[in-house]
Every structure is written in C-alpha cells, then in structure tokens.
Coordinates of all heavy atoms in Angstrom, one line a residue:
M673 N 12.1 9.7 -23.0 CA 11.0 10.4 -22.4 C 10.0 9.5 -21.6 O 9.9 9.6 -20.5 CB 10.3 11.4 -23.3 CG 9.9 10.7 -24.6 SD 9.3 11.7 -25.9 CE 9.8 10.8 -27.3
L674 N 9.4 8.6 -22.4 CA 8.4 7.8 -21.7 C 9.1 6.5 -21.2 O 8.8 5.4 -21.5 CB 7.3 7.4 -22.7 CG 6.2 8.4 -22.9 CD1 5.5 8.1 -24.2 CD2 5.3 8.5 -21.7
K675 N 10.1 6.7 -20.3 CA 10.9 5.6 -19.9 C 10.1 4.6 -19.1 O 10.4 3.4 -19.2 CB 12.0 6.1 -18.9 CG 13.3 6.4 -19.7 CD 14.0 5.1 -20.1 CE 15.2 5.4 -21.1 NZ 15.2 4.6 -22.3
N676 N 9.2 5.0 -18.3 CA 8.4 4.0 -17.6 C 7.1 3.7 -18.2 O 6.2 3.0 -17.6 CB 8.1 4.5 -16.1 CG 9.4 4.7 -15.4 OD1 10.3 3.8 -15.4 ND2 9.6 5.8 -14.8
G677 N 6.9 4.2 -19.4 CA 5.6 3.9 -20.1 C 4.5 4.8 -19.5 O 4.7 5.5 -18.5
C678 N 3.4 4.7 -20.1 CA 2.3 5.5 -19.7 C 1.3 4.6 -18.8 O 1.5 3.4 -18.8 CB 1.5 6.1 -20.9 SG 1.2 4.9 -22.1
P679 N 0.4 5.2 -18.2 CA -0.5 4.4 -17.3 C -1.2 3.3 -18.0 O -1.4 2.2 -17.4 CB -1.6 5.5 -16.8 CG -0.9 6.8 -17.0 CD 0.0 6.6 -18.1
G680 N -1.5 3.5 -19.2 CA -2.2 2.4 -20.0 C -1.4 1.2 -20.2 O -1.9 0.1 -20.7
S681 N -0.1 1.3 -20.0 CA 0.8 0.1 -20.2 C 1.1 -0.7 -18.9 O 1.7 -1.7 -19.0 CB 2.1 0.5 -20.9 OG 2.9 1.3 -20.0
Q682 N 0.7 -0.2 -17.8 CA 1.0 -0.8 -16.5 C 0.5 -2.2 -16.4 O 1.2 -3.1 -15.9 CB 0.5 0.0 -15.4 CG 1.3 1.3 -15.1 CD 2.8 1.1 -15.0 OE1 3.2 0.2 -14.3 NE2 3.5 1.8 -15.8
E683 N -0.7 -2.4 -16.8 CA -1.3 -3.8 -16.7 C -0.6 -4.8 -17.6 O -0.7 -6.0 -17.4 CB -2.8 -3.7 -17.0 CG -3.6 -2.9 -16.0 CD -5.0 -3.4 -15.9 OE1 -5.5 -3.9 -16.9 OE2 -5.6 -3.3 -14.8
I684 N 0.0 -4.3 -18.6 CA 0.7 -5.2 -19.5 C 2.1 -5.4 -19.1 O 2.6 -6.5 -19.1 CB 0.7 -4.6 -21.0 CG1 -0.8 -4.5 -21.4 CG2 1.5 -5.5 -21.9 CD1 -1.0 -3.7 -22.7
K685 N 2.7 -4.3 -18.6 CA 4.1 -4.5 -18.1 C 4.2 -5.2 -16.8 O 5.2 -5.9 -16.5 CB 4.8 -3.1 -18.0 CG 5.1 -2.6 -19.4 CD 5.7 -1.2 -19.4 CE 6.8 -1.0 -18.3 NZ 7.4 0.3 -18.4
Q686 N 3.2 -4.9 -15.9 CA 3.2 -5.6 -14.6 C 1.9 -6.3 -14.5 O 1.0 -5.8 -13.8 CB 3.4 -4.5 -13.5 CG 4.8 -4.0 -13.5 CD 4.9 -2.7 -12.7 OE1 3.9 -2.1 -12.2 NE2 6.1 -2.1 -12.7
P687 N 1.8 -7.4 -15.2 CA 0.5 -8.1 -15.2 C 0.1 -8.6 -13.8 O 0.9 -9.0 -13.0 CB 0.8 -9.3 -16.1 CG 2.2 -9.2 -16.6 CD 2.9 -8.1 -15.9
K688 N -1.2 -8.6 -13.6 CA -1.7 -9.2 -12.3 C -2.8 -10.2 -12.7 O -3.5 -10.0 -13.7 CB -2.2 -8.1 -11.4 CG -3.0 -7.0 -12.0 CD -3.3 -5.9 -11.0 CE -4.4 -5.0 -11.4 NZ -4.1 -4.1 -12.5
P689 N -3.0 -11.1 -11.8 CA -4.0 -12.2 -12.1 C -5.4 -11.7 -11.9 O -5.7 -10.9 -11.0 CB -3.6 -13.3 -11.1 CG -2.9 -12.6 -10.0 CD -2.2 -11.4 -10.6
E690 N -6.3 -12.1 -12.8 CA -7.7 -11.8 -12.7 C -8.4 -13.1 -12.8 O -7.9 -14.0 -13.4 CB -8.1 -10.9 -13.8 CG -7.5 -9.5 -13.8 CD -7.8 -8.7 -15.1 OE1 -8.7 -9.1 -15.9 OE2 -7.0 -7.8 -15.4
D691 N -9.6 -13.1 -12.2 CA -10.4 -14.3 -12.4 C -11.5 -14.1 -13.4 O -12.2 -13.1 -13.4 CB -11.1 -14.7 -11.1 CG -10.1 -15.3 -10.1 OD1 -9.2 -16.0 -10.6 OD2 -10.2 -15.1 -8.9
I692 N -11.6 -15.0 -14.4 CA -12.7 -15.0 -15.3 C -13.4 -16.3 -15.2 O -12.9 -17.3 -14.6 CB -12.2 -14.8 -16.8 CG1 -11.2 -15.9 -17.2 CG2 -11.5 -13.5 -17.0 CD1 -11.0 -16.0 -18.7
R693 N -14.6 -16.4 -15.7 CA -15.4 -17.6 -15.6 C -15.2 -18.3 -17.0 O -15.4 -17.7 -18.0 CB -16.9 -17.2 -15.4 CG -17.6 -18.4 -14.8 CD -18.9 -17.9 -14.2 NE -18.7 -17.2 -12.9 CZ -18.5 -17.9 -11.7 NH1 -18.5 -19.2 -11.7 NH2 -18.3 -17.2 -10.6
C694 N -14.8 -19.6 -16.9 CA -14.7 -20.4 -18.1 C -16.0 -20.5 -18.8 O -17.0 -20.8 -18.2 CB -14.2 -21.8 -17.7 SG -14.2 -22.9 -19.1
R695 N -16.0 -20.1 -20.1 CA -17.3 -20.1 -20.8 C -17.7 -21.5 -21.2 O -18.8 -21.7 -21.7 CB -17.2 -19.2 -22.0 CG -16.3 -19.8 -23.1 CD -16.6 -18.9 -24.4 NE -16.0 -17.6 -24.3 CZ -15.1 -17.1 -25.1 NH1 -14.8 -17.8 -26.2 NH2 -14.6 -16.0 -25.0
H696 N -16.8 -22.5 -20.9 CA -17.2 -23.9 -21.3 C -17.7 -24.7 -20.1 O -18.7 -25.4 -20.2 CB -16.0 -24.6 -21.9 CG -15.4 -23.8 -23.0 ND1 -16.0 -23.9 -24.3 CD2 -14.3 -23.0 -23.1 CE1 -15.2 -23.1 -25.1 NE2 -14.2 -22.6 -24.4
C697 N -17.1 -24.5 -18.9 CA -17.5 -25.3 -17.8 C -18.0 -24.4 -16.6 O -18.5 -24.9 -15.6 CB -16.4 -26.2 -17.3 SG -15.0 -25.4 -16.5
G698 N -17.8 -23.1 -16.7 CA -18.3 -22.2 -15.7 C -17.5 -22.0 -14.5 O -17.9 -21.3 -13.5
R699 N -16.3 -22.7 -14.4 CA -15.5 -22.5 -13.2 C -14.5 -21.3 -13.4 O -14.4 -20.8 -14.4 CB -14.7 -23.8 -13.0 CG -15.6 -24.8 -12.2 CD -14.9 -26.1 -11.9 NE -15.1 -27.0 -13.0 CZ -14.9 -28.3 -12.9 NH1 -14.5 -28.9 -11.7 NH2 -15.1 -29.1 -13.9
E700 N -13.9 -20.9 -12.2 CA -13.1 -19.8 -12.3 C -11.7 -20.1 -12.8 O -11.1 -21.1 -12.4 CB -13.0 -19.1 -10.9 CG -14.3 -18.5 -10.5 CD -14.1 -17.2 -9.7 OE1 -13.1 -17.2 -8.9 OE2 -14.9 -16.4 -9.7
V701 N -11.2 -19.3 -13.7 CA -9.9 -19.5 -14.3 C -9.1 -18.2 -14.1 O -9.7 -17.1 -14.3 CB -10.1 -19.8 -15.9 CG1 -8.7 -20.1 -16.5 CG2 -11.1 -20.8 -16.2
E702 N -7.9 -18.4 -13.8 CA -7.0 -17.3 -13.6 C -6.4 -16.9 -14.9 O -5.8 -17.7 -15.6 CB -5.9 -17.6 -12.5 CG -5.2 -16.4 -12.0 CD -4.2 -16.9 -11.0 OE1 -3.1 -17.4 -11.3 OE2 -4.5 -16.7 -9.8
I703 N -6.6 -15.6 -15.2 CA -5.9 -15.1 -16.4 C -5.1 -13.8 -16.0 O -5.5 -13.1 -15.1 CB -7.0 -14.8 -17.5 CG1 -6.3 -14.5 -18.8 CG2 -7.9 -13.6 -17.1 CD1 -7.3 -14.5 -20.0
W704 N -4.0 -13.7 -16.7 CA -3.2 -12.5 -16.3 C -3.6 -11.3 -17.2 O -4.1 -11.5 -18.3 CB -1.7 -12.8 -16.5 CG -1.2 -13.8 -15.5 CD1 -1.4 -15.1 -15.5 CD2 -0.6 -13.4 -14.3 NE1 -0.9 -15.6 -14.3 CE2 -0.4 -14.6 -13.6 CE3 -0.1 -12.2 -13.7 CZ2 0.3 -14.7 -12.3 CZ3 0.5 -12.3 -12.5 CH2 0.7 -13.5 -11.8
S705 N -3.4 -10.1 -16.6 CA -4.0 -8.9 -17.3 C -3.3 -8.6 -18.6 O -3.8 -7.8 -19.4 CB -3.9 -7.7 -16.4 OG -2.5 -7.5 -16.0
D706 N -2.3 -9.3 -19.0 CA -1.7 -9.1 -20.3 C -2.0 -10.2 -21.2 O -1.4 -10.3 -22.3 CB -0.2 -8.9 -20.2 CG 0.6 -10.2 -19.8 OD1 0.0 -11.1 -19.2 OD2 1.7 -10.3 -20.2
E707 N -2.9 -11.1 -20.8 CA -3.2 -12.3 -21.7 C -4.5 -12.2 -22.4 O -5.5 -11.7 -21.8 CB -3.2 -13.6 -20.8 CG -1.8 -14.0 -20.4 CD -1.8 -15.3 -19.6 OE1 -2.8 -15.5 -18.8 OE2 -0.9 -16.1 -19.7
T708 N -4.6 -12.6 -23.6 CA -5.8 -12.6 -24.3 C -6.5 -14.0 -24.4 O -7.6 -14.1 -24.7 CB -5.6 -12.1 -25.8 OG1 -4.6 -12.9 -26.4 CG2 -5.2 -10.7 -25.8
E709 N -5.7 -15.0 -24.0 CA -6.3 -16.3 -23.9 C -5.7 -17.2 -22.9 O -4.5 -17.0 -22.5 CB -6.2 -17.0 -25.3 CG -4.8 -17.1 -25.8 CD -4.8 -17.7 -27.2 OE1 -5.7 -17.5 -28.0 OE2 -3.8 -18.5 -27.5
R710 N -6.5 -18.1 -22.3 CA -6.0 -18.9 -21.3 C -6.8 -20.2 -21.3 O -8.0 -20.3 -21.5 CB -6.2 -18.2 -19.9 CG -6.2 -19.1 -18.7 CD -4.9 -19.7 -18.4 NE -3.9 -18.7 -18.0 CZ -2.6 -19.0 -17.7 NH1 -2.2 -20.3 -17.8 NH2 -1.8 -18.1 -17.2
K711 N -6.0 -21.3 -21.2 CA -6.6 -22.6 -21.2 C -7.2 -22.9 -19.8 O -6.5 -22.7 -18.8 CB -5.6 -23.7 -21.6 CG -6.2 -24.9 -22.4 CD -5.1 -25.8 -22.8 CE -5.0 -25.8 -24.3 NZ -4.0 -26.7 -24.9
C712 N -8.4 -23.4 -19.8 CA -9.0 -23.7 -18.5 C -8.4 -25.0 -17.9 O -8.2 -26.0 -18.6 CB -10.5 -24.0 -18.7 SG -11.4 -24.6 -17.3
K713 N -8.0 -24.8 -16.6 CA -7.3 -26.0 -16.0 C -8.3 -27.1 -15.7 O -7.8 -28.2 -15.3 CB -6.5 -25.5 -14.8 CG -7.3 -25.1 -13.7 CD -6.4 -24.5 -12.5 CE -7.3 -23.8 -11.5 NZ -6.5 -23.0 -10.6
F714 N -9.5 -26.8 -15.7 CA -10.5 -27.8 -15.3 C -11.0 -28.6 -16.6 O -11.0 -29.9 -16.5 CB -11.7 -27.2 -14.7 CG -11.4 -26.5 -13.4 CD1 -11.3 -25.1 -13.4 CD2 -11.1 -27.2 -12.2 CE1 -11.0 -24.4 -12.2 CE2 -10.7 -26.5 -11.1 CZ -10.7 -25.1 -11.1
C715 N -11.3 -27.9 -17.6 CA -11.9 -28.7 -18.8 C -10.9 -28.6 -20.0 O -11.1 -29.3 -20.9 CB -13.2 -28.1 -19.2 SG -13.1 -26.4 -19.9
G716 N -9.8 -27.8 -19.9 CA -8.8 -27.9 -20.9 C -9.2 -27.1 -22.1 O -8.4 -27.1 -23.1
K717 N -10.3 -26.4 -22.1 CA -10.7 -25.6 -23.3 C -10.2 -24.2 -23.2 O -9.9 -23.7 -22.1 CB -12.2 -25.6 -23.5 CG -12.7 -27.0 -23.9 CD -14.1 -27.1 -24.2 CE -14.6 -28.5 -24.6 NZ -16.0 -28.7 -24.4
L718 N -10.1 -23.6 -24.3 CA -9.5 -22.2 -24.4 C -10.5 -21.1 -24.2 O -11.6 -21.2 -24.8 CB -8.8 -22.1 -25.8 CG -7.7 -21.0 -25.9 CD1 -6.6 -21.4 -25.0 CD2 -7.2 -21.0 -27.4
N719 N -10.2 -20.2 -23.4 CA -11.0 -19.0 -23.2 C -10.3 -17.8 -23.8 O -9.1 -17.6 -23.5 CB -11.3 -18.8 -21.7 CG -12.3 -19.7 -21.2 OD1 -13.5 -19.6 -21.3 ND2 -11.8 -20.8 -20.5
T720 N -11.0 -17.0 -24.6 CA -10.3 -15.9 -25.1 C -11.1 -14.6 -24.6 O -12.3 -14.7 -24.3 CB -10.3 -15.9 -26.7 OG1 -11.6 -16.0 -27.1 CG2 -9.5 -17.0 -27.2
R721 N -10.4 -13.5 -24.6 CA -11.1 -12.3 -24.2 C -10.4 -11.1 -24.9 O -9.3 -11.2 -25.4 CB -11.0 -12.1 -22.7 CG -9.6 -12.0 -22.2 CD -9.6 -11.3 -20.9 NE -8.2 -11.1 -20.5 CZ -7.8 -10.5 -19.4 NH1 -8.7 -10.1 -18.6 NH2 -6.5 -10.2 -19.1
V722 N -11.1 -10.0 -24.8 CA -10.5 -8.8 -25.4 C -10.1 -8.0 -24.2 O -10.8 -7.7 -23.3 CB -11.6 -8.1 -26.2 CG1 -11.0 -6.7 -26.7 CG2 -12.0 -8.9 -27.4
I723 N -8.8 -7.6 -24.2 CA -8.3 -6.7 -23.2 C -8.9 -5.3 -23.4 O -9.1 -4.8 -24.5 CB -6.8 -6.7 -23.3 CG1 -6.2 -8.0 -22.9 CG2 -6.2 -5.6 -22.3 CD1 -4.7 -8.1 -22.8
G724 N -9.2 -4.6 -22.3 CA -9.8 -3.3 -22.4 C -8.8 -2.3 -23.0 O -7.7 -2.6 -23.5
Q725 N -9.2 -1.1 -22.9 CA -8.3 0.0 -23.4 C -7.0 0.0 -22.8 O -6.9 0.1 -21.6 CB -9.0 1.3 -23.2 CG -10.2 1.6 -24.1 CD -9.9 2.5 -25.2 OE1 -9.3 3.6 -25.0 NE2 -10.3 2.2 -26.4
T726 N -6.0 -0.1 -23.6 CA -4.6 0.0 -23.1 C -3.9 1.1 -23.9 O -4.5 1.6 -24.8 CB -3.8 -1.3 -23.2 OG1 -3.7 -1.6 -24.6 CG2 -4.6 -2.4 -22.5
C727 N -2.7 1.3 -23.6 CA -1.9 2.3 -24.3 C -1.8 1.9 -25.8 O -1.6 2.8 -26.6 CB -0.6 2.5 -23.6 SG 0.9 1.9 -24.4
L728 N -2.1 0.6 -26.1 CA -2.0 0.2 -27.5 C -3.0 0.9 -28.4 O -2.8 1.1 -29.6 CB -2.2 -1.3 -27.6 CG -1.0 -2.2 -27.6 CD1 -0.3 -2.2 -26.3 CD2 -1.4 -3.6 -28.0
D729 N -4.1 1.4 -27.7 CA -5.2 2.0 -28.5 C -4.9 3.5 -28.8 O -5.4 4.0 -29.8 CB -6.5 1.9 -27.7 CG -6.9 0.5 -27.6 OD1 -7.1 -0.2 -28.7 OD2 -7.2 0.0 -26.5
W730 N -4.1 4.1 -28.0 CA -4.0 5.5 -28.2 C -2.6 6.1 -28.1 O -2.3 7.3 -28.4 CB -4.9 6.3 -27.2 CG -4.9 5.7 -25.8 CD1 -5.8 4.9 -25.3 CD2 -3.9 6.0 -24.7 NE1 -5.5 4.6 -24.0 CE2 -4.3 5.2 -23.6 CE3 -2.7 6.7 -24.7 CZ2 -3.6 5.2 -22.4 CZ3 -2.0 6.7 -23.5 CH2 -2.5 6.0 -22.4
C731 N -1.6 5.2 -27.7 CA -0.3 5.8 -27.5 C 0.6 5.6 -28.7 O 0.7 4.5 -29.2 CB 0.3 5.1 -26.3 SG 1.9 5.6 -25.9
A732 N 1.2 6.7 -29.1 CA 2.1 6.6 -30.2 C 3.4 5.8 -29.9 O 4.1 5.4 -30.8 CB 2.5 8.0 -30.7
F733 N 3.7 5.6 -28.6 CA 4.9 4.9 -28.2 C 4.6 3.6 -27.7 O 5.4 3.0 -27.0 CB 5.6 5.8 -27.2 CG 5.9 7.2 -27.7 CD1 5.1 8.2 -27.3 CD2 7.0 7.4 -28.5 CE1 5.4 9.5 -27.7 CE2 7.3 8.7 -28.9 CZ 6.5 9.7 -28.6
A734 N 3.4 3.0 -28.0 CA 3.0 1.8 -27.4 C 4.0 0.7 -27.5 O 4.2 -0.1 -26.6 CB 1.7 1.3 -28.1
K735 N 4.7 0.6 -28.7 CA 5.6 -0.4 -28.9 C 6.8 -0.3 -27.8 O 7.2 -1.3 -27.3 CB 6.2 -0.4 -30.3 CG 6.7 -1.7 -30.8 CD 7.4 -1.6 -32.1 CE 6.3 -1.8 -33.2 NZ 7.0 -1.8 -34.6
E736 N 7.2 0.9 -27.5 CA 8.2 1.0 -26.5 C 7.6 0.8 -25.1 O 8.3 0.3 -24.2 CB 8.9 2.4 -26.6 CG 9.9 2.5 -27.7 CD 9.3 3.3 -28.9 OE1 8.6 2.6 -29.8 OE2 9.4 4.5 -29.0
C737 N 6.4 1.3 -24.9 CA 5.8 1.2 -23.6 C 5.7 -0.3 -23.1 O 6.0 -0.6 -22.0 CB 4.4 1.8 -23.6 SG 4.3 3.6 -23.7
V738 N 5.2 -1.1 -24.0 CA 5.0 -2.5 -23.5 C 6.0 -3.5 -24.0 O 6.1 -4.6 -23.6 CB 3.6 -3.0 -24.0 CG1 2.5 -2.0 -23.5 CG2 3.5 -3.2 -25.5
G739 N 6.9 -3.1 -24.9 CA 7.9 -4.0 -25.5 C 7.4 -4.6 -26.7 O 6.2 -4.8 -26.9
E740 N 8.3 -4.8 -27.7 CA 7.9 -5.2 -29.0 C 7.2 -6.6 -29.0 O 6.2 -6.8 -29.7 CB 9.1 -5.3 -29.9 CG 8.8 -5.7 -31.3 CD 9.6 -5.1 -32.4 OE1 10.7 -4.5 -32.0 OE2 9.3 -5.2 -33.6
E741 N 7.7 -7.5 -28.2 CA 7.1 -8.9 -28.2 C 5.6 -8.8 -27.8 O 4.7 -9.4 -28.4 CB 7.9 -9.8 -27.3 CG 7.5 -11.2 -27.3 CD 6.6 -11.5 -26.1 OE1 6.7 -10.9 -25.1 OE2 5.7 -12.4 -26.3
K742 N 5.3 -8.1 -26.7 CA 4.0 -8.1 -26.2 C 3.1 -7.2 -27.1 O 1.9 -7.5 -27.3 CB 4.0 -7.4 -24.8 CG 4.5 -8.4 -23.7 CD 4.2 -7.9 -22.3 CE 4.6 -9.0 -21.4 NZ 4.3 -8.7 -20.0
Y743 N 3.7 -6.2 -27.7 CA 3.0 -5.4 -28.6 C 2.4 -6.2 -29.8 O 1.2 -6.2 -30.1 CB 3.9 -4.3 -29.1 CG 3.3 -3.4 -30.1 CD1 2.5 -2.3 -29.7 CD2 3.5 -3.6 -31.5 CE1 1.9 -1.4 -30.6 CE2 2.9 -2.7 -32.4 CZ 2.1 -1.6 -32.0 OH 1.6 -0.8 -32.9
R744 N 3.3 -7.0 -30.3 CA 2.9 -7.9 -31.5 C 1.8 -8.9 -31.0 O 0.9 -9.1 -31.7 CB 4.1 -8.6 -32.0 CG 5.0 -7.8 -32.8 CD 5.6 -8.6 -34.0 NE 6.9 -7.9 -34.4 CZ 8.0 -8.5 -34.3 NH1 8.1 -9.8 -34.0 NH2 9.1 -7.9 -34.7
R745 N 2.0 -9.5 -29.9 CA 1.1 -10.5 -29.4 C -0.3 -10.0 -29.2 O -1.3 -10.5 -29.5 CB 1.7 -11.2 -28.1 CG 0.8 -12.3 -27.6 CD 1.6 -13.2 -26.7 NE 2.3 -12.6 -25.6 CZ 1.6 -12.3 -24.4 NH1 0.4 -12.6 -24.3 NH2 2.3 -11.7 -23.4
L746 N -0.3 -8.8 -28.5 CA -1.6 -8.2 -28.2 C -2.3 -7.7 -29.5 O -3.5 -7.8 -29.6 CB -1.4 -7.1 -27.2 CG -1.0 -7.6 -25.8 CD1 -0.5 -6.5 -24.9 CD2 -2.2 -8.3 -25.2
K747 N -1.5 -7.2 -30.4 CA -2.1 -6.7 -31.6 C -2.7 -7.9 -32.4 O -3.8 -7.8 -32.9 CB -1.1 -6.0 -32.5 CG -0.8 -4.6 -32.1 CD -2.0 -3.7 -32.6 CE -1.6 -2.2 -32.3 NZ -2.8 -1.4 -32.4
A748 N -2.0 -9.0 -32.4 CA -2.5 -10.2 -33.1 C -3.8 -10.7 -32.4 O -4.7 -11.1 -33.1 CB -1.4 -11.3 -33.1
G749 N -3.8 -10.6 -31.1 CA -4.9 -11.1 -30.3 C -6.2 -10.3 -30.6 O -7.3 -10.8 -30.4
R750 N -6.0 -9.1 -31.1 CA -7.2 -8.3 -31.4 C -7.7 -8.5 -32.8 O -8.8 -8.0 -33.1 CB -6.8 -6.8 -31.3 CG -6.7 -6.4 -29.9 CD -5.9 -5.1 -29.7 NE -6.0 -4.8 -28.3 CZ -6.8 -3.8 -27.8 NH1 -7.5 -3.1 -28.7 NH2 -6.9 -3.6 -26.6
G751 N -7.0 -9.2 -33.6 CA -7.4 -9.5 -34.9 C -7.5 -8.3 -35.8 O -8.2 -8.3 -36.8
N752 N -6.6 -7.3 -35.6 CA -6.5 -6.3 -36.6 C -5.1 -5.7 -36.7 O -4.2 -6.1 -36.1 CB -7.5 -5.1 -36.3 CG -7.3 -4.5 -34.9 OD1 -6.2 -4.6 -34.3 ND2 -8.3 -4.0 -34.3
Ligands
LIG1109 ZN1 -13.5 -24.9 -18.2
LIG1110 ZN1 2.0 4.1 -24.0

C-alpha cells in the first residue's frame, strides 16, 4: 500500500543538501536532510542536529517508508 512512502519520508528517502552553521567555527557546512551529524570540513569538529518531524514520529510503517537501515540510524540519532 505505502509503496512510495508517505510525505514525511521524502526528505529521508531523497535527501537534499542543507546549509547549517558550524557551531564551532561559524562557517557554513553542508548537511543532508537525512543526516543527524556532519563533520565540519573547515575545523573538523562534529555538528549534530535533530531532524524535524518525519514519518518516524507518526507513521506506523516508518520502517518500510525509509528503509530499515535509515530507520535504525535515525532512531539512534534521536537518543530514544
Ligand atoms: Zn567548523
Ligand atoms: Zn511513513
């Protein structure tokens, strides 16, 4: 039924780059929309962030929507 996943899984299934500001050196770091952490290419330090609401929060089929590997990684990144 949910062959293509729900809207909340799009950013995870088809990640796109976003710019965040490195909290260590203040420069712009590219992070993909399915990533919870990214090493800054300027200072080499790790930036972590919390991904906003995705299908993981409310979808009973989240594991199928985003795939098991990403599901586990994102769940782990949330610390719960
Ligand atoms: Zn940096
Ligand atoms: Zn879903």
